[in-house]
Amino acid sequence: PLYLIAQLPDSDTWLYGMGGKESGVILRVGENWKYFDLSYRTVRVALPQMYYGDFDGDMDLELAILTYSASGTGVSIWTLSIVEFEDTGWTALTFQDADYKAILEQSVLCSYDAATNIVTLQLGEQTLPVDLTALGYDAPTGPVESYVGQIVSFQVDGDTIIGRFVVGLNAPNIPYATFYPAEIHANVLYTGTSFGLGDLTLTTYTAE
């Protein structure tokens, strides 16, 4: 059986889940149907979202599908996929976490001042001090490293897609995936065949 999980009635666009399946959706546009292997079932239920826009600037509309693909303690991940409607068939390209993490982790620098117990995150010319003492963490007994955490979301505004990615700190006295002091906002750059990120902004993390 199929059940409706997202819809854009004005565009005659419908997304269905399949009973008994852990992943996979069926997209219907008009009278055309297509299966895509997208995961959307998590313990913390959130239905997919769909948006039309010209995301690659080719004067044709694509369909962005946001699926809630992972949830748990310190984990909340939305996944972005974009469907292209070509004469040869529909294809969906997904922005893989390994790809955006590679971009972000190369962009963020992390330094630690033992005298003040302050970590400084740097993104280009932007800096963000993180006072570990004020946040209740003693001086680390080893190296402090930053990483891209497992809280990811996307917002679609017209033809623009903005990604939100948390930045965590890891040290001997800071358990992994529990402390996110910062987040990065970035424009998702989509070419039709690949994804990238631009206009990165570093700011203090604010829980949704």
Side-chain angles (χ1 to χ4, degrees), residues 20-201:
K21 300 291 186 179
E22 292 300 320
S23 65
V25 298
I26 292 179
L27 174 65
R28 177 170 72 86
V29 181
E31 298 189 10
N32 297 309
W33 302 71
K34 175 72 174 180
Y35 170 83
F36 293 108
D37 187 17
L38 303 180
S39 176
Y40 67 94
R41 292 188 179 186
T42 66
V43 175
R44 189 182 305 153
V45 177
L47 293 177
Q49 303 170 16
M50 299 191 296
Y51 305 88
Y52 276 106
D54 181 11
F55 304 117
D56 58 4
D58 65 353
M59 306 301 289
D60 292 323
L61 292 180
E62 295 83 39
L63 179 68
I65 302 178
L66 303 181
T67 52
Y68 196 52
S69 54
S71 65
T73 302
V75 178
S76 178
I77 299 178
W78 285 87
T79 297
L80 167 66
S81 301
I82 294 183
V83 177
E84 292 274 1
F85 300 97
E86 304 289 350
D87 293 337
T88 54
W90 301 354
T91 59
L93 186 65
T94 298
F95 199 1
Q96 303 291 342
D97 59 350
D99 294 333
Y100 59 69
K101 283 183 178 180
I103 298 171
L104 296 169
E105 290 178 348
Q106 292 177 6
S107 303
V108 178
L109 301 177
C110 176
S111 60
Y112 174 67
D113 184 349
T116 60
N117 198 27
I118 291 177
V119 174
T120 299
L121 297 172
Q122 182 173 354
L123 176 64
E125 297 182 355
Q126 308 168 61
T127 59
L128 181 67
V130 180
D131 188 337
L132 297 183
T133 302
L135 295 171
Y137 291 96
D138 297 330
T141 56
V144 181
E145 300 177 341
S146 64
Y147 63 93
V148 178
Q150 299 190 77
I151 298 179
V152 177
S153 62
F154 297 93
Q155 177 183 350
V156 181
D157 183 8
D159 298 333
T160 301
I161 303 174
I162 300 173
R164 178 175 179 253
F165 313 88
V166 298
V167 177
L169 293 180
N170 189 30
N173 67 328
I174 302 176
Y176 186 80
T178 60
F179 179 47
Y180 298 133
E183 62 184 62
I184 297 171
H185 298 176
N187 287 342
V188 176
L189 308 178
Y190 174 67
T191 66
T193 57
S194 64
F195 290 97
L197 295 173
D199 298 327
L200 278 65
T201 301

